[in-house]
Amino acid sequence: MTLILQKIVAKSLWKISSGLLLLLLASPAFSVTVEGLYSAEVAVEDQSQAQLMRAKKVGLSQVLVKVTGQTKSLNNPRIRTALVDADDYLQRFSFTTQLADGKPQAVIELAFDALQVNRLIADSGLPIWGADRAAILVWLVEDTQGTRQIVSDDSHPMVAQIMQQAEQRGMPLLWPLLDLEDQVAINAGALWGLFRDTIKSASSRYQADAVLVGRMFQDSQKLWRVEWNFWLDEVEQQWSSEGTDLATLIDPLQDRLSSSLVAKFALATAIKASIDDDTKIAILRVDQVTQFEDYVELRAMLQGIAGIQGVQLRSASGATLEFRIFAQSHLAQVKSVVDLKRRLKPVDKMDAKEDADSSPLWHYQWN
């Protein structure tokens, strides 16, 4: 069974293979918590020992790519050695049968130990991309002999390739509904011309963390060319690719996307911070926490963020709470992950400010 982000227009519901659900309603879309990062499914020919051994190695490779966000992590010498002994990281596996193109296909479902995998990644000097991940809105325009149209249907070969490869990295993608609201807000010409204000306005309803615009066409020699523009934190990146095979056009796209996202959100494992290391402590202030249930939810949310080692309530004044955040990684990376939480709305840019004990002060409002 292929694991693809699917659009169900009736409910505007997007589903990612790992079980992640992203609900898009009238003003939809959130940064998402990706589940199933440490599990994999591998098609096999039979239940022989040889097929099982191959599946364990392939499954661990899939998990490592998802958790690091990059296929090049498999070139790391320590990772290559670990793949030979995939059993050391395996928790459980089971055989099942799924339908593939209407035909039964034997599949092995594998679950790997998250702590062991994370330790392997850390020992390899690679960053860990946590489960809280930025959602990317994708606008794709195809030019066919001068006629341009926005495409988002997963039956389109380019859309299918983009989703399949993004899924291999656990990268959440959003595709526009192309309903009446979208049709009024933007057209293929505006996307092709990269009218940034129009694109930004049309994208705002999806509340995505980043926006990707692709423009594709095929020349007289049947050579495909795709030009990409990617906006993350108001910073624009541009690149292009060309070739006769659509699949090869997507490789550089996914590599560039994942590199940008990993650089911002993945947590450096080379940092060995202790809870007494005040250079890895930040003060998080949250306004409008009016209910005890909100406090419980907020604290649990913070404790569940990758890279946060400890959370201590520092003070409470009316509806404003302050927490000490003890980080295991760079504070800037941890804050990037905190910023993904939609229930925390930044009050202003506080990164450069410090409180009385010289710790960075991050200021939010509870939504």
Side-chain angles (χ1 to χ4, degrees):
M1 181 178 70
T2 58
L3 307 178
I4 295 178
L5 210 65
Q6 299 174 338
K7 182 175 69 177
I8 303 176
V9 177
K11 291 291 185 180
S12 303
L13 183 67
W14 296 74
K15 181 178 181 181
I16 193 168
S17 61
S18 55
L20 166 71
L21 294 181
L22 179 57
L23 186 60
L24 302 181
L25 297 176
S27 60
F30 318 90
S31 54
V32 292
T33 300
V34 179
E35 299 177 0
L37 290 178
Y38 298 89
S39 61
E41 295 181 348
V42 180
V44 292
E45 296 177 2
D46 51 49
Q47 298 188 14
S48 66
Q49 188 64 25
Q51 287 290 298
L52 177 58
M53 291 178 61
R54 182 190 68 84
K56 291 175 180 178
K57 181 176 180 179
V58 172
L60 181 56
S61 298
Q62 292 178 6
V63 165
L64 289 167
V65 169
K66 286 190 290 185
V67 179
T68 64
Q70 302 182 68
T71 56
K72 66 181 182 182
S73 64
L74 301 181
N75 297 326
N76 182 284
R78 196 176 189 112
I79 296 293
R80 289 204 303 267
T81 300
L83 289 174
V84 178
D85 300 311
D87 266 325
D88 293 344
Y89 306 90
L90 185 66
Q91 280 187 328
R92 62 185 180 275
F93 69 90
S94 61
F95 288 91
T96 186
T97 301
Q98 300 174 357
L99 289 179
D101 298 326
K103 299 179 180 179
Q105 171 66 61
V107 171
I108 298 182
E109 298 178 339
L110 307 107
F112 292 89
D113 185 280
L115 292 178
Q116 289 280 62
V117 170
N118 287 350
R119 186 176 294 114
L120 168 63
I121 294 171
D123 291 344
S124 303
L126 298 170
I128 294 174
W129 193 11
D132 294 309
R133 301 195 172 186
I136 303 172
L137 176 65
V138 184
W139 296 98
L140 181 62
V141 185
E142 181 178 15
D143 184 310
T144 305
Q145 297 180 344
T147 301
R148 295 165 183 165
Q149 65 174 347
I150 306 172
V151 294
S152 67
D153 194 318
D154 58 14
S155 64
H156 189 284
M158 178 64 85
V159 175
Q161 286 288 340
I162 292 173
M163 294 198 303
Q164 183 179 36
Q165 292 197 24
E167 180 192 356
Q168 293 173 0
R169 293 171 171 83
M171 187 184 302
L173 298 183
L174 308 176
W175 295 83
L177 299 176
L178 302 183
D179 56 5
L180 182 59
E181 183 173 345
D182 281 342
Q183 294 172 35
V184 170
I186 199 167
N187 56 38
L191 288 166
W192 196 270
L194 296 176
F195 297 158
R196 185 166 181 174
D197 289 344
T198 303
I199 294 171
K200 184 176 181 180
S201 177
S203 301
S204 62
R205 69 179 293 209
Y206 295 100
Q207 301 180 16
D209 301 287
V211 176
L212 174 69
V213 176
R215 297 171 295 162
M216 60 180 294
F217 62 93
Q218 193 174 30
D219 63 20
S220 58
Q221 304 301 314
K222 303 300 181 181
L223 187 70
W224 285 102
R225 180 175 178 85
V226 188
E227 297 177 350
W228 303 102
N229 291 73
F230 180 57
W231 289 280
L232 176 65
D233 290 340
E234 301 297 326
V235 176
E236 181 178 9
Q237 300 178 45
Q238 302 176 2
W239 63 94
S240 61
S241 52
E242 62 182 22
T244 56
D245 182 8
L246 287 179
T248 62
L249 298 180
I250 306 306
D251 286 334
L253 165 67
Q254 300 295 353
D255 288 342
R256 290 290 295 268
L257 283 179
S258 61
S259 293
S260 297
L261 295 170
V262 166
K264 181 174 177 60
F265 298 108
L267 301 170
T269 54
I271 301 289
K272 301 297 183 182
S274 72
I275 204 157
D276 296 321
D277 183 359
D278 60 5
T279 63
K280 300 297 177 294
I281 297 176
I283 303 302
L284 186 140
R285 177 183 297 163
V286 186
D287 300 329
Q288 298 188 15
V289 184
T290 59
Q291 304 293 328
F292 179 73
E293 291 79 5
D294 292 333
Y295 161 74
V296 173
E297 181 180 350
L298 171 59
R299 187 181 182 92
M301 174 191 296
L302 296 174
Q303 291 174 329
I305 292 176
I308 292 182
Q309 181 182 18
V311 178
Q312 292 180 354
L313 181 62
R314 181 176 185 246
S315 66
S317 177
T320 296
L321 303 180
E322 287 191 358
F323 296 89
R324 276 194 182 88
I325 303 298
F326 300 92
Q328 294 174 305
S329 188
H330 296 294
L331 285 178
Q333 292 172 314
V334 174
K335 185 177 187 300
S336 294
V337 179
V338 174
D339 286 343
L340 290 175
K341 297 298 186 180
R342 294 296 182 179
R343 296 217 65 182
L344 292 175
K345 179 182 178 182
V347 172
D348 49 28
K349 297 293 184 181
M350 301 292 289
D351 299 44
K353 297 185 180 181
E354 297 180 344
D355 79 332
D357 65 8
S358 299
S359 297
L361 176 61
W362 305 339
H363 195 177
Y364 297 89
Q365 176 181 303
W366 183 250
N367 289 326

mmCIF file of all heavy atoms in Angstrom, residues 226-253:
data_model
loop_
_atom_site.group_PDB
_atom_site.id
_atom_site.type_symbol
_atom_site.label_atom_id
_atom_site.label_comp_id
_atom_site.label_asym_id
_atom_site.label_seq_id
_atom_site.Cartn_x
_atom_site.Cartn_y
_atom_site.Cartn_z
ATOM 1 N N VAL A 226 11.146 22.212 -14.574
ATOM 2 C CA VAL A 226 10.356 22.707 -13.452
ATOM 3 C C VAL A 226 11.163 23.767 -12.710
ATOM 4 O O VAL A 226 12.343 23.561 -12.413
ATOM 5 C CB VAL A 226 9.966 21.586 -12.468
ATOM 6 C CG1 VAL A 226 8.976 22.111 -11.433
ATOM 7 C CG2 VAL A 226 9.382 20.398 -13.202
ATOM 8 N N GLU A 227 10.529 24.886 -12.458
ATOM 9 C CA GLU A 227 11.158 25.963 -11.688
ATOM 10 C C GLU A 227 10.409 26.100 -10.362
ATOM 11 O O GLU A 227 9.178 26.157 -10.347
ATOM 12 C CB GLU A 227 11.123 27.274 -12.472
ATOM 13 C CG GLU A 227 11.914 27.189 -13.772
ATOM 14 C CD GLU A 227 11.834 28.461 -14.593
ATOM 15 O OE1 GLU A 227 11.011 29.338 -14.239
ATOM 16 O OE2 GLU A 227 12.593 28.579 -15.576
ATOM 17 N N TRP A 228 11.175 26.153 -9.276
ATOM 18 C CA TRP A 228 10.588 26.160 -7.943
ATOM 19 C C TRP A 228 10.929 27.453 -7.205
ATOM 20 O O TRP A 228 12.062 27.937 -7.286
ATOM 21 C CB TRP A 228 11.118 24.978 -7.120
ATOM 22 C CG TRP A 228 10.892 23.634 -7.727
ATOM 23 C CD1 TRP A 228 11.804 22.862 -8.391
ATOM 24 C CD2 TRP A 228 9.667 22.901 -7.742
ATOM 25 N NE1 TRP A 228 11.231 21.693 -8.806
ATOM 26 C CE2 TRP A 228 9.913 21.686 -8.418
ATOM 27 C CE3 TRP A 228 8.383 23.145 -7.229
ATOM 28 C CZ2 TRP A 228 8.925 20.723 -8.607
ATOM 29 C CZ3 TRP A 228 7.407 22.185 -7.415
ATOM 30 C CH2 TRP A 228 7.673 21.000 -8.093
ATOM 31 N N ASN A 229 9.952 27.969 -6.484
ATOM 32 C CA ASN A 229 10.147 29.102 -5.572
ATOM 33 C C ASN A 229 9.572 28.694 -4.222
ATOM 34 O O ASN A 229 8.409 28.272 -4.147
ATOM 35 C CB ASN A 229 9.451 30.362 -6.085
ATOM 36 C CG ASN A 229 10.114 30.914 -7.332
ATOM 37 O OD1 ASN A 229 9.989 30.333 -8.411
ATOM 38 N ND2 ASN A 229 10.815 32.023 -7.191
ATOM 39 N N PHE A 230 10.381 28.832 -3.185
ATOM 40 C CA PHE A 230 10.008 28.359 -1.854
ATOM 41 C C PHE A 230 10.170 29.488 -0.853
ATOM 42 O O PHE A 230 11.220 30.128 -0.782
ATOM 43 C CB PHE A 230 10.914 27.177 -1.471
ATOM 44 C CG PHE A 230 10.634 26.587 -0.112
ATOM 45 C CD1 PHE A 230 9.377 26.115 0.216
ATOM 46 C CD2 PHE A 230 11.653 26.492 0.834
ATOM 47 C CE1 PHE A 230 9.122 25.555 1.467
ATOM 48 C CE2 PHE A 230 11.413 25.926 2.077
ATOM 49 C CZ PHE A 230 10.146 25.464 2.394
ATOM 50 N N TRP A 231 9.097 29.758 -0.102
ATOM 51 C CA TRP A 231 9.127 30.805 0.911
ATOM 52 C C TRP A 231 8.982 30.193 2.292
ATOM 53 O O TRP A 231 7.992 29.527 2.602
ATOM 54 C CB TRP A 231 7.999 31.815 0.684
ATOM 55 C CG TRP A 231 8.209 32.688 -0.509
ATOM 56 C CD1 TRP A 231 8.999 33.796 -0.603
ATOM 57 C CD2 TRP A 231 7.609 32.529 -1.810
ATOM 58 N NE1 TRP A 231 8.932 34.328 -1.877
ATOM 59 C CE2 TRP A 231 8.084 33.574 -2.633
ATOM 60 C CE3 TRP A 231 6.711 31.588 -2.347
ATOM 61 C CZ2 TRP A 231 7.693 33.723 -3.947
ATOM 62 C CZ3 TRP A 231 6.331 31.727 -3.665
ATOM 63 C CH2 TRP A 231 6.813 32.784 -4.457
ATOM 64 N N LEU A 232 9.981 30.428 3.131
ATOM 65 C CA LEU A 232 9.966 30.002 4.526
ATOM 66 C C LEU A 232 10.469 31.173 5.358
ATOM 67 O O LEU A 232 11.583 31.662 5.148
ATOM 68 C CB LEU A 232 10.867 28.772 4.725
ATOM 69 C CG LEU A 232 11.030 28.267 6.163
ATOM 70 C CD1 LEU A 232 9.708 27.743 6.706
ATOM 71 C CD2 LEU A 232 12.101 27.178 6.238
ATOM 72 N N ASP A 233 9.615 31.649 6.275
ATOM 73 C CA ASP A 233 9.969 32.811 7.106
ATOM 74 C C ASP A 233 10.336 34.018 6.249
ATOM 75 O O ASP A 233 11.325 34.722 6.515
ATOM 76 C CB ASP A 233 11.130 32.473 8.042
ATOM 77 C CG ASP A 233 10.731 31.505 9.130
ATOM 78 O OD1 ASP A 233 9.525 31.390 9.395
ATOM 79 O OD2 ASP A 233 11.621 30.874 9.708
ATOM 80 N N GLU A 234 9.568 34.250 5.201
ATOM 81 C CA GLU A 234 9.751 35.402 4.319
ATOM 82 C C GLU A 234 11.057 35.346 3.514
ATOM 83 O O GLU A 234 11.395 36.293 2.799
ATOM 84 C CB GLU A 234 9.709 36.716 5.111
ATOM 85 C CG GLU A 234 8.416 36.953 5.866
ATOM 86 C CD GLU A 234 7.207 37.063 4.925
ATOM 87 O OE1 GLU A 234 7.371 37.587 3.807
ATOM 88 O OE2 GLU A 234 6.119 36.630 5.324
ATOM 89 N N VAL A 235 11.801 34.278 3.643
ATOM 90 C CA VAL A 235 13.028 34.108 2.862
ATOM 91 C C VAL A 235 12.709 33.241 1.654
ATOM 92 O O VAL A 235 12.113 32.163 1.783
ATOM 93 C CB VAL A 235 14.141 33.455 3.708
ATOM 94 C CG1 VAL A 235 15.379 33.196 2.850
ATOM 95 C CG2 VAL A 235 14.481 34.332 4.905
ATOM 96 N N GLU A 236 13.090 33.711 0.469
ATOM 97 C CA GLU A 236 12.777 32.993 -0.763
ATOM 98 C C GLU A 236 13.987 32.208 -1.249
ATOM 99 O O GLU A 236 15.109 32.706 -1.261
ATOM 100 C CB GLU A 236 12.328 33.965 -1.854
ATOM 101 C CG GLU A 236 11.962 33.282 -3.160
ATOM 102 C CD GLU A 236 11.478 34.257 -4.227
ATOM 103 O OE1 GLU A 236 11.585 35.482 -4.001
ATOM 104 O OE2 GLU A 236 11.007 33.791 -5.273
ATOM 105 N N GLN A 237 13.735 30.972 -1.654
ATOM 106 C CA GLN A 237 14.746 30.149 -2.302
ATOM 107 C C GLN A 237 14.241 29.783 -3.692
ATOM 108 O O GLN A 237 13.045 29.594 -3.894
ATOM 109 C CB GLN A 237 15.018 28.882 -1.496
ATOM 110 C CG GLN A 237 15.513 29.131 -0.088
ATOM 111 C CD GLN A 237 15.730 27.848 0.675
ATOM 112 O OE1 GLN A 237 16.310 26.885 0.160
ATOM 113 N NE2 GLN A 237 15.271 27.800 1.912
ATOM 114 N N GLN A 238 15.165 29.676 -4.632
ATOM 115 C CA GLN A 238 14.800 29.354 -6.001
ATOM 116 C C GLN A 238 15.730 28.269 -6.532
ATOM 117 O O GLN A 238 16.927 28.275 -6.246
ATOM 118 C CB GLN A 238 14.921 30.596 -6.896
ATOM 119 C CG GLN A 238 14.087 31.773 -6.455
ATOM 120 C CD GLN A 238 14.337 33.000 -7.320
ATOM 121 O OE1 GLN A 238 15.110 32.959 -8.283
ATOM 122 N NE2 GLN A 238 13.696 34.100 -6.979
ATOM 123 N N TRP A 239 15.185 27.336 -7.296
ATOM 124 C CA TRP A 239 15.981 26.355 -7.988
ATOM 125 C C TRP A 239 15.156 25.758 -9.114
ATOM 126 O O TRP A 239 13.942 25.961 -9.188
ATOM 127 C CB TRP A 239 16.514 25.283 -7.045
ATOM 128 C CG TRP A 239 15.498 24.434 -6.354
ATOM 129 C CD1 TRP A 239 15.020 23.228 -6.755
ATOM 130 C CD2 TRP A 239 14.812 24.720 -5.128
ATOM 131 N NE1 TRP A 239 14.096 22.742 -5.874
ATOM 132 C CE2 TRP A 239 13.947 23.643 -4.858
ATOM 133 C CE3 TRP A 239 14.852 25.790 -4.227
ATOM 134 C CZ2 TRP A 239 13.130 23.602 -3.746
ATOM 135 C CZ3 TRP A 239 14.043 25.745 -3.111
ATOM 136 C CH2 TRP A 239 13.194 24.654 -2.873
ATOM 137 N N SER A 240 15.800 25.020 -9.976
ATOM 138 C CA SER A 240 15.099 24.413 -11.113
ATOM 139 C C SER A 240 15.707 23.057 -11.414
ATOM 140 O O SER A 240 16.811 22.729 -10.958
ATOM 141 C CB SER A 240 15.198 25.312 -12.356
ATOM 142 O OG SER A 240 16.547 25.486 -12.746
ATOM 143 N N SER A 241 14.969 22.262 -12.166
ATOM 144 C CA SER A 241 15.452 20.953 -12.579
ATOM 145 C C SER A 241 14.834 20.626 -13.926
ATOM 146 O O SER A 241 13.776 21.149 -14.290
ATOM 147 C CB SER A 241 15.095 19.875 -11.547
ATOM 148 O OG SER A 241 13.713 19.894 -11.243
ATOM 149 N N GLU A 242 15.504 19.759 -14.673
ATOM 150 C CA GLU A 242 14.985 19.366 -15.971
ATOM 151 C C GLU A 242 15.395 17.945 -16.290
ATOM 152 O O GLU A 242 16.376 17.425 -15.762
ATOM 153 C CB GLU A 242 15.459 20.322 -17.076
ATOM 154 C CG GLU A 242 16.964 20.359 -17.262
ATOM 155 C CD GLU A 242 17.368 21.353 -18.343
ATOM 156 O OE1 GLU A 242 16.587 22.270 -18.637
ATOM 157 O OE2 GLU A 242 18.467 21.191 -18.907
ATOM 158 N N GLY A 243 14.587 17.299 -17.148
ATOM 159 C CA GLY A 243 14.876 15.931 -17.539
ATOM 160 C C GLY A 243 13.668 15.307 -18.212
ATOM 161 O O GLY A 243 12.589 15.899 -18.286
ATOM 162 N N THR A 244 13.851 14.095 -18.710
ATOM 163 C CA THR A 244 12.757 13.399 -19.387
ATOM 164 C C THR A 244 11.912 12.590 -18.412
ATOM 165 O O THR A 244 10.776 12.233 -18.712
ATOM 166 C CB THR A 244 13.326 12.449 -20.458
ATOM 167 O OG1 THR A 244 14.261 11.544 -19.851
ATOM 168 C CG2 THR A 244 14.047 13.249 -21.550
ATOM 169 N N ASP A 245 12.467 12.292 -17.230
ATOM 170 C CA ASP A 245 11.777 11.474 -16.234
ATOM 171 C C ASP A 245 11.315 12.362 -15.088
ATOM 172 O O ASP A 245 12.125 13.016 -14.429
ATOM 173 C CB ASP A 245 12.727 10.387 -15.728
ATOM 174 C CG ASP A 245 12.064 9.458 -14.717
ATOM 175 O OD1 ASP A 245 10.837 9.579 -14.527
ATOM 176 O OD2 ASP A 245 12.773 8.623 -14.132
ATOM 177 N N LEU A 246 9.995 12.386 -14.859
ATOM 178 C CA LEU A 246 9.465 13.244 -13.814
ATOM 179 C C LEU A 246 10.032 12.891 -12.441
ATOM 180 O O LEU A 246 10.245 13.762 -11.595
ATOM 181 C CB LEU A 246 7.935 13.158 -13.780
ATOM 182 C CG LEU A 246 7.185 13.840 -14.923
ATOM 183 C CD1 LEU A 246 5.678 13.645 -14.750
ATOM 184 C CD2 LEU A 246 7.508 15.327 -14.966
ATOM 185 N N ALA A 247 10.268 11.612 -12.204
ATOM 186 C CA ALA A 247 10.763 11.194 -10.896
ATOM 187 C C ALA A 247 12.103 11.845 -10.576
ATOM 188 O O ALA A 247 12.357 12.252 -9.446
ATOM 189 C CB ALA A 247 10.886 9.674 -10.840
ATOM 190 N N THR A 248 12.955 11.960 -11.591
ATOM 191 C CA THR A 248 14.274 12.560 -11.349
ATOM 192 C C THR A 248 14.172 14.058 -11.106
ATOM 193 O O THR A 248 15.088 14.656 -10.536
ATOM 194 C CB THR A 248 15.221 12.297 -12.535
ATOM 195 O OG1 THR A 248 14.673 12.920 -13.724
ATOM 196 C CG2 THR A 248 15.383 10.816 -12.791
ATOM 197 N N LEU A 249 13.076 14.668 -11.535
ATOM 198 C CA LEU A 249 12.902 16.094 -11.297
ATOM 199 C C LEU A 249 12.572 16.388 -9.838
ATOM 200 O O LEU A 249 12.816 17.484 -9.342
ATOM 201 C CB LEU A 249 11.772 16.650 -12.180
ATOM 202 C CG LEU A 249 11.953 16.579 -13.690
ATOM 203 C CD1 LEU A 249 10.754 17.178 -14.396
ATOM 204 C CD2 LEU A 249 13.215 17.302 -14.110
ATOM 205 N N ILE A 250 12.012 15.402 -9.154
ATOM 206 C CA ILE A 250 11.558 15.626 -7.790
ATOM 207 C C ILE A 250 12.670 15.410 -6.776
ATOM 208 O O ILE A 250 12.646 15.975 -5.684
ATOM 209 C CB ILE A 250 10.358 14.719 -7.464
ATOM 210 C CG1 ILE A 250 9.262 14.906 -8.518
ATOM 211 C CG2 ILE A 250 9.769 15.043 -6.097
ATOM 212 C CD1 ILE A 250 8.839 16.345 -8.708
ATOM 213 N N ASP A 251 13.666 14.608 -7.119
ATOM 214 C CA ASP A 251 14.773 14.359 -6.183
ATOM 215 C C ASP A 251 15.413 15.662 -5.693
ATOM 216 O O ASP A 251 15.545 15.866 -4.482
ATOM 217 C CB ASP A 251 15.823 13.463 -6.825
ATOM 218 C CG ASP A 251 15.353 12.018 -6.913
ATOM 219 O OD1 ASP A 251 14.514 11.621 -6.085
ATOM 220 O OD2 ASP A 251 15.825 11.290 -7.814
ATOM 221 N N PRO A 252 15.834 16.554 -6.604
ATOM 222 C CA PRO A 252 16.447 17.803 -6.110
ATOM 223 C C PRO A 252 15.467 18.669 -5.335
ATOM 224 O O PRO A 252 15.862 19.374 -4.408
ATOM 225 C CB PRO A 252 16.921 18.503 -7.392
ATOM 226 C CG PRO A 252 16.139 17.874 -8.508
ATOM 227 C CD PRO A 252 15.894 16.474 -8.080
ATOM 228 N N LEU A 253 14.184 18.605 -5.693
ATOM 229 C CA LEU A 253 13.178 19.365 -4.944
ATOM 230 C C LEU A 253 13.135 18.895 -3.501
ATOM 231 O O LEU A 253 13.236 19.695 -2.564
ATOM 232 C CB LEU A 253 11.802 19.188 -5.590
ATOM 233 C CG LEU A 253 10.606 19.616 -4.716
ATOM 234 C CD1 LEU A 253 10.610 21.118 -4.496
ATOM 235 C CD2 LEU A 253 9.296 19.140 -5.323
#
